[in-house]
Amino acid sequence: MGIPVSTTSCANCRLADICLPYGLHSNEIDLLVNIIQNKRPMQINDTLYRQNEKCCSLFAVKSGSFRSFITNSEGEEQTIGFYLPGELIGLDALQSGHNTCTTIALETASVCELPLASLNELCVKIPSLQLQMLRILGKEIISDHDKIILLGHRSAKERLATFLLMLSRRYGALGFSNIEFNLSMRRQDIANFLGITIETVSRQFAELTKEGIISINRRGVYINKLSILQAIVEPCKTDPECLMR
Amino acid sequence: MGIPVSTTSCANCRLADICLPYGLHSNEIDLLVNIIQNKRPMQINDTLYRQNEKCCSLFAVKSGSFRSFITNSEGEEQTIGFYLPGELIGLDALQSGHNTCTTIALETASVCELPLASLNELCVKIPSLQLQMLRILGKEIISDHDKIILLGHRSAKERLATFLLMLSRRYGALGFSNIEFNLSMRRQDIANFLGITIETVSRQFAELTKEGIISINRRGVYINKLSILQAIVEPCKTDPECLMR
DNA sequence: CGTAGTTTTGATGTCAGTCAAAATGTGTGG
DNA sequence: CCACACATTTTGACTGACATCAAAACTACG
């Protein structure tokens, strides 16, 4: 593929502080930038990679959002996570070099591609990059544990409240409003991710609206009472900030 | 702590092929052995580490089994996983250096302690060890994804069948029988792990027994019809082998 | 404006949870 | 070795949260 090497540096990227280069020295970042492959922008429903395909890269989200899902032997999709800017996609391929899920764009989006071979070489040269990789993987594992607790031990209302709260915090961390944002995913995706049906999602959104906690209009969400939303989630305790990946 | 450095080598360990040293050269294994701290054997309910404690080590299970759980703000335990010989415990601490769960022994057990500082240094010296770490972390993530699907999309019977099947495969991989084994965990632990109640666990065990698929007597399990058990799990498709961690 | 996709709303059914008690197992001290 | 207390597991009756089924309302797009 004739895609040119990136000309933009992580140094200028507004996401640098929450992405892979966080904590690296500027000369180390230069080395990292050299291995980045820029991919052309993606449109809604474009596939970043497919389940079972051989995989040689990780991807950092530059803009837009993504959904990862596993398709089982009966053809049912099971959503594993959503990804926002600054997050790393494709960590599930580290074990075998094959993707265990499919990842598609939920809207117009772009990513930085990080070829695994180059990344591994670089980790040998830059011990702090290796540490950063381990930190990111540790974060992914913690986030998965939070999802396990959510799915194993929480009611439909708590699941939906947690879902909104985690979006709120993530958008806030990106510098956007944490009380007003648009959902880039369909109700179907939300339901599948939370292990409930679309009807239940719809009804719980309606309840939260009736209680005056949120206002919702199709994809648009406005959180009127953030603290009450947090109170619903409170017993879950674990940090919703990292629940989305 | 005056615990002496290990005198036994990974080279002699029957678990070497499924544990951290897998694929390393013998001189590299020697370096790895040097950083291992042997901990004294543990008894049932002994704590390996506690949630929120600072953590400077990973642990590889040498014998016995462990249970990890998160305690929420209401004091409820939520079991995250079980660990058998050859598996690495404590990966959740990689992000912040603090454990996010508590891990206790389910029976008499022993571990190899791997201080993180030494392990990181060694990864710089031995690139293939770094790769192996990434592979193990990737496997953990895949295993967590399987749990997410199990909890989000499967019935009580499918959950229990999957649970038994994963134990079967794991014990088989360790060289034990894959159709007859003892459960080291209580019904309460199984229920909590699977996101169902103990009563439901008990009833589903009874059903599987009535159907002649398994025989169960307290902690003892005998699988009469492995293929039927697999058929129940089949729609889930994803590899139960890595579901337990 | 018509067709197809998505979301909401309503009526009904069911799987697993809750509550309660019996059965079984485990440990301790006399 | 037995008696008693306590923990764990099983069984039964009832309930409820969410799923399922069905249809209407809304949106988008050619």
Side-chain angles (χ1 to χ4, degrees), chain A residues 185-242:
Chain A
M185 62 292 286
R186 300 168 308 164
R187 297 284 190 276
Q188 178 58 61
D189 300 330
I190 298 172
N192 191 290
F193 176 62
L194 295 177
I196 54 184
T197 60
I198 46 172
E199 293 95 327
T200 299
V201 169
S202 193
R203 276 185 256 264
Q204 293 301 332
F205 271 150
E207 270 214 39
L208 289 172
T209 300
K210 207 172 64 190
E211 295 169 26
I213 299 170
I214 64 170
S215 306
I216 192 158
N217 189 307
R218 287 195 62 72
R219 298 286 180 97
V221 177
Y222 185 91
I223 302 176
N224 302 305
K225 297 173 181 168
L226 194 58
S227 58
I228 297 190
L229 212 53
Q230 285 162 340
I232 293 172
V233 170
E234 189 52 28
C236 312
K237 203 222 57 136
T238 47
D239 188 2
E241 199 160 331
C242 56

Side-chain angles (χ1 to χ4, degrees), chain B residues 114-131:
Chain B
L114 302 154
L116 273 174
S118 324
L119 193 58
N120 284 330
E121 275 177 35
L122 211 53
C123 280
V124 175
K125 285 188 211 144
I126 312 175
S128 58
L129 179 60
Q130 178 202 306
L131 274 177

Side-chain angles (χ1 to χ4, degrees), chain B residues 15 27 119 210:
Chain B
L15 297 170
N27 58 326
L119 193 58
K210 208 171 64 189

